[in-house]
Amino acid sequence: MGNIRIIGPRNSGKTTYLAALAYQPNKDKRKHKYLQVQALNDDTRLLADKAESIILQGASLEPSITHFRTIYDMPVYSFNIEIKHFLRKENIMLVVRDYPGEIFDDLENGTSNKLSKEFIDECLAQDVSGCLILLSEWKHGTDKSYSRILDQFIQLINRADRGKDLRLAVVMGKCERGELWPGRLDPEIDLFDIHLPETKSILKRGILHTNLHFYASSTFGVLGRNDPRPNRIEEWGTDGRNSVLREPERWRPYGLLSPLYWLSTGKKMGFDI
Amino acid sequence: MYNIIKKYTKPEALAKNAVVRVIGDRGSGKTAYMASLARWPNADTTSPVQSVIPIGEAGEDLITKAQNILEQGLQLEQTAMQHDAINVQDYTLKITLKGQFSWKNPQVGISQLVDISISCKDYSGEFFSDLLQQSSSLQLRNYLEDCLQATGIMLLVDGNSNRKDLEYTNSIDKFVTGLDRTDRDLNSRRIALVLTKCEQPELWVNHHNSSFLAHARFPQLCQRLKTWQQMGGGQVDYFTASAFGMLGNRYPEPNVTIISRDRGGISAVIKDPKRWRPFGLVAPIYWLCTGDRHKELDKG
C-alpha cells in the first residue's frame, strides 16, 4: 500500500478516470458485486459528486491547473477498495493525486520552473509506491514527443534514487475507440508496439522489467459484450465538445482498477476491472 | 515463601518516570498533542492504556484547553515564548497501562500494570525555529540548561511539512551540538521523532511503518539523528501519531476539517468532537520511559 501519482498529457482524462472510480460503484451495483469502492475523505466525495455531472451530463472538467497555484492546494483522493476474490476478501487503501497535464508537457523542454520541480519532487518521493502514466493520443509526432518526455522522466527517476523501486504503469486510456478496443487484451503488443513503439522502447530500456507494466483502460467502456460500439457520444457542453455516456444504464468501465492495484500492492490482478 | 508468591502473583503497579521536553516547529501540534493526551477522550477498552490523569494546576489547564478549545472545533493559540525556561509550564501526567514483557525490563509481567509519570515541558515553537539559530544567546543557554534535566526529548514534526526537512535538520543539528556542549556529565538520552497529523491519507497509508515513513519524508533529519546516535549521544526511534485521530472503524477517515495547507504542513480542527479518538500518543512516551517499543500501543 502506498501513495500513487497519476501523470499524463493534458486532456488524457486523468481526473475523469478518478471520478469514474469514485462514482462507478454507486452506479453499478449489479455487475460489481466483487468490487466495492469507498471514498475516504472530503476531496474524494466531492469528486464523486462531480462525477455524475461530468460523465452523464458532459460538464467539462476544468483543467486541474486552473484550480491551484501551489502544490499544497492539490486535492488528495483516498479510496478503500474491497475486492472479493474467490474465497476471501481483500481490502486495499489507495491514496492518489492526479497531476496537471502541464507538468507532464513541461518535461519535454526540461523542467526549469519552480512549480514543476516541486511537483516532480513530490512525485518521486520515497513513500510514493508508483506512478500511473496515462496516455491517449497516437497522432503523428506524439510518439516522438512522449518518448522525449519519458526519457527525461526516467533520468529524473534515477537521479532521485527511485530506479529500483518505483513502479510505472503505462496506461492507454480511452480504449473504447474502435481501433483500440480489440487491442486491450494484450496492450503491450497490440497497442503500444503498434501506436507508440518509440515510447515503449525508451521505457523498456530505462525501467526494470519488474517495475514496468502496460495496461489498457476505458472510462466509458463499450455498449456490451457483443456490441463493441463505444458507450460514448460527443455533446456540446458549456464550453465545446465533451464526451458523455451514451447509455448510462449500460455503463461498464474497463481496466480502471488493475493498474492501481498493481501499483499499490505489486501483485497482478487475475482479471481486468 | 508467602512473600515470594505474593511478589510474583499479585503485581503492584510498577513505576517508571521520565522527564520530557517537547520541541518542534511552530504549528507542529505540540500543545494539541499534550492537551489531547491529558484529555484522553473516548478511551478504547481494548487499549492497553487504562487511564491518563493530569496532576496539578498545569494539568488542569491542559484539560481546559482540550475542552474549551479543541472540543469546540477551535484552534489553539500559539504558545507564547517565555524569557526564562523556568517559567515554561511543567505538565505532570500519570499514565497507567498494561505492561509488556521484554528482556530489557524483565520485571514487567504481562498483565502487570505500569504507572508512567512524566513531567513534560511544552516549549514554544519559537525555540525550535528561531532561538536555536542564535548560538550565543543567553536565553538559548538557559533553555539548553533546562533541557539537561530531561531524559527524553520528543521532537514533534508535522508529517505533511516534508519540504522543511532541511530546516529541521539545521535546527536539530544546533540543538544536539548545543546540548553536548552544555552537558558536562555526558548523560545519554532518548529522542523520539514523532510525526504528527498522521490522520492525513498520505501518511495514514504508512502509519504502521513509522520508521519507513520518517525516513521517506524526512531523509536528512533522520540521517542527522542517526549520526547523533552513532556518536554515542543516545537512542533515536520513530513514531506516528495524531491528536485528532480517525472516524469510523471499517473505513476510517480523518476526523479533521482542514483550514489551510502550505509548506509548513496543515492546520486543522476536529470535525466530530464526539468521536474524538487520538492515536499513537502514548507509544513514544512509553519508549522514552522504558526504552521498549510497546507492541500493543504501536498498533494504534
Side-chain angles (χ1 to χ4, degrees), chain B residues 7 9 24 46 71 101 113 120 212 214 229 273 289:
Chain B
K7 195 174 162 193
T9 53
T46 60
E71 261 182 61
F101 178 78
L113 293 181
C120 191
F212 165 78
Q229 178 171 355
C289 285

Side-chain angles (χ1 to χ4, degrees), chain B residues 46-212:
Chain B
T46 60
S47 156
V49 179
Q50 304 281 309
S51 67
V52 180
I53 304 165
I55 292 164
E57 220 170 280
E60 294 299 318
D61 186 51
L62 276 180
I63 296 271
T64 323
K65 274 188 182 137
Q67 287 178 326
N68 294 356
I69 303 175
L70 295 178
E71 261 182 61
Q72 308 305 319
L74 302 171
Q75 272 181 295
L76 287 168
E77 277 179 31
Q78 276 196 13
T79 308
M81 182 78 181
Q82 301 290 339
H83 188 69
D84 196 329
I86 294 283
N87 299 333
V88 179
Q89 274 203 331
D90 198 345
Y91 302 117
T92 309
L93 298 175
K94 195 177 130 197
I95 303 170
T96 310
L97 75 167
K98 285 193 204 106
Q100 73 170 2
F101 178 78
S102 92
W103 295 110
K104 275 189 210 157
N105 296 291
Q107 73 277 34
V108 183
I110 294 171
S111 60
Q112 189 172 18
L113 293 181
V114 181
D115 271 342
I116 293 181
S117 303
I118 55 160
S119 108
C120 191
K121 281 188 181 181
D122 161 25
Y123 285 177
S124 156
E126 245 169 278
F127 167 74
F128 193 73
S129 58
D130 301 331
L131 190 58
L132 280 169
Q133 309 302 325
Q134 309 157 11
S135 51
S136 57
S137 112
L138 276 175
Q139 199 186 3
L140 177 64
R141 182 109 43 90
N142 171 272
Y143 266 83
L144 287 174
E145 290 279 350
D146 181 62
C147 272
L148 287 187
Q149 298 160 19
T151 51
I153 307 283
M154 263 214 287
L155 169 60
L156 260 53
V157 167
D158 181 342
N160 303 286
S161 64
N162 45 327
R163 306 212 140 251
K164 291 181 94 175
D165 186 22
L166 205 59
E167 282 143 270
Y168 295 156
T169 313
N170 203 345
S171 291
I172 205 69
D173 185 53
K174 298 259 163 57
F175 180 74
V176 293
T177 28
L179 217 53
D180 273 353
R181 219 173 282 156
T182 339
D183 193 357
R184 283 166 297 267
D185 309 329
L186 295 171
N187 291 317
S188 124
R189 43 179 65 78
R190 300 193 176 106
I191 298 185
L193 174 61
V194 185
L195 303 190
T196 58
K197 311 188 188 180
C198 282
E199 76 283 344
Q200 291 303 310
E202 290 197 288
L203 302 168
W204 172 255
V205 274
N206 290 316
H207 83 283
H208 282 309
N209 208 345
S210 38
S211 173
F212 165 78

Side-chain angles (χ1 to χ4, degrees), chain A:
Chain A
M1 288 209 253
N3 293 297
I4 294 168
R5 307 278 185 249
I6 299 192
I7 61 173
R10 270 172 284 195
N11 276 324
S12 57
K14 298 178 292 296
T15 312
T16 315
Y17 179 100
L18 283 176
L21 188 67
Y23 173 68
Q24 167 229 340
N26 315 334
K27 184 73 198 146
D28 195 354
K29 288 201 177 75
R30 194 170 44 89
K31 279 172 189 149
H32 286 280
K33 270 186 251 157
Y34 49 81
L35 175 70
Q36 226 188 359
V37 181
Q38 176 84 23
L40 291 184
N41 64 358
D42 296 339
D43 283 338
T44 316
R45 268 190 291 271
L46 209 66
L47 181 70
D49 289 345
K50 266 197 283 179
E52 187 161 310
S53 54
I54 297 164
I55 295 164
L56 298 180
Q57 286 137 31
S60 80
L61 262 178
E62 288 166 52
S64 296
I65 195 95
T66 51
H67 291 298
F68 34 78
R69 261 159 286 140
T70 69
I71 191 165
Y72 311 108
D73 307 331
M74 279 216 324
V76 178
Y77 302 115
S78 115
F79 308 90
N80 182 77
I81 296 184
E82 192 176 283
I83 304 158
K84 294 194 182 96
H85 293 284
F86 181 50
L87 282 173
R88 66 197 161 86
K89 270 190 214 165
E90 185 180 13
N91 271 295
I92 58 170
M93 183 181 171
L94 295 176
V95 181
V96 190
R97 272 181 155 184
D98 67 322
Y99 274 26
E102 281 74 3
I103 304 296
F104 186 81
D105 296 342
D106 278 357
L107 278 172
E108 188 161 9
N109 331 322
T111 47
S112 48
N113 81 58
K114 194 164 156 267
L115 188 68
S116 294
K117 199 175 168 308
E118 275 183 3
F119 271 100
I120 295 294
D121 282 351
E122 192 80 21
C123 182
L124 301 177
Q126 296 287 340
D127 60 341
V128 172
S129 63
C131 280
L132 191 153
I133 304 175
L134 189 59
L135 304 173
S136 66
E137 292 288 336
W138 70 87
K139 289 199 299 276
H140 182 69
T142 39
D143 189 24
K144 268 248 156 6
S145 122
Y146 285 168
S147 58
R148 270 200 299 271
I149 290 172
L150 289 171
D151 193 29
Q152 275 286 330
F153 191 60
I154 290 167
Q155 282 181 31
L156 290 170
I157 291 175
N158 288 328
R159 238 177 271 161
D161 291 336
R162 295 303 313 272
K164 283 192 182 134
D165 55 0
L166 184 78
R167 288 192 272 269
L168 289 187
V170 189
V171 180
M172 179 64 91
K174 309 185 186 175
C175 276
E176 68 279 3
R177 290 170 289 185
E179 59 278 51
L180 298 184
W181 184 247
R184 74 189 186 282
L185 299 175
D186 193 349
E188 181 172 350
I189 289 168
D190 291 336
L191 297 177
F192 288 92
D193 265 350
I194 291 175
H195 298 297
L196 300 169
E198 253 180 78
T199 310
K200 191 195 143 182
S201 74
I202 287 273
L203 284 164
K204 279 271 181 195
R205 240 181 290 141
I207 305 285
L208 289 176
H209 74 281
T210 45
N211 290 340
L212 179 69
H213 271 293
F214 294 91
Y215 290 91
S217 87
S218 163
T219 304
F220 289 93
V222 293
L223 283 175
R225 208 179 153 74
N226 300 318
D227 188 357
R229 287 174 297 163
N231 190 1
R232 174 171 64 109
I233 41 171
E234 307 247 305
E235 270 194 0
W236 287 95
T238 39
D239 53 344
R241 281 159 78 85
N242 283 304
S243 299
V244 295
L245 274 178
R246 182 168 166 182
E247 293 185 28
E249 65 283 0
R250 288 164 86 174
W251 182 28
R252 192 159 187 194
Y254 177 83
L256 295 184
L257 190 62
S258 310
L260 293 172
Y261 181 84
W262 174 69
L263 288 174
S264 165
T265 63
K267 292 181 288 180
K268 304 259 290 183
M269 274 181 108
F271 45 95
D272 280 329
I273 44 174

